[in-house]
Amino acid sequence: MREKLRKWFNIDNIIDATVDLFLILFDVLSSPILIVMRLARFIIGNYLLDGVKTKIKKVAHWTEGKHPLLQIWVWTMIICVGVVILTLMWLFGTAFSEVVMELWGDQALNLDE
């Protein structure tokens, strides 16, 4: 239990938490959509990306000692699928930001007035 706490409370995590807390207090108060975006980033970062890393590590260990042509084919397919997924994420992110700006763009905090 002590080791887990020691891993959680290292200087990197403390700095990340402090910066995130500051950004939430400073930015989110002026734009509530940032709450939703931060929650989405947290969920994607913790659950989806960690899952992807685990799968890539499993494939890396599975391809150890296999025929070189099989290794090349597997890693080529992983790279191609990764490019397609990243492209789709970019497209959906762009579409989502356009929808958000269309729905809530006029409610943004205008400091020029």
Side-chain angles (χ1 to χ4, degrees):
M1 183 69 170
R2 187 176 185 145
E3 282 298 317
K4 280 188 178 182
L5 287 175
R6 200 171 212 184
K7 282 183 182 179
W8 289 346
F9 291 111
N10 60 25
I11 193 71
D12 291 333
N13 288 345
I14 292 171
I15 290 172
D16 287 342
T18 306
V19 169
D20 283 343
L21 192 64
F22 175 75
L23 288 174
I24 287 171
L25 291 175
F26 183 73
D27 288 338
V28 171
L29 294 176
S30 66
S31 179
I33 191 63
L34 290 177
I35 295 172
V36 175
M37 296 306 289
R38 286 205 173 270
L39 287 174
R41 190 185 103 198
F42 175 77
I43 291 170
I44 289 171
N46 277 352
Y47 299 109
L48 296 180
L49 294 180
D50 286 345
V52 168
K53 285 186 221 176
T54 305
K55 299 294 188 262
I56 290 173
K57 288 177 184 178
K58 283 183 181 179
V59 170
H61 290 296
W62 181 79
T63 57
E64 286 179 5
K66 302 285 186 197
H67 194 273
L69 287 177
L70 179 64
Q71 289 179 349
I72 292 170
W73 183 81
V74 167
W75 287 106
T76 304
M77 294 304 294
I78 288 174
I79 291 170
C80 290
V81 168
V83 167
V84 169
I85 289 172
L86 289 174
T87 304
L88 289 174
M89 286 174 60
W90 173 72
L91 287 173
F92 284 120
T94 303
F96 180 73
S97 66
E98 290 294 324
V99 168
V100 167
M101 288 305 294
E102 186 176 316
L103 293 176
W104 294 300
D106 58 337
Q107 297 174 2
L109 181 64
N110 191 355
L111 298 176
D112 294 334
E113 292 180 356

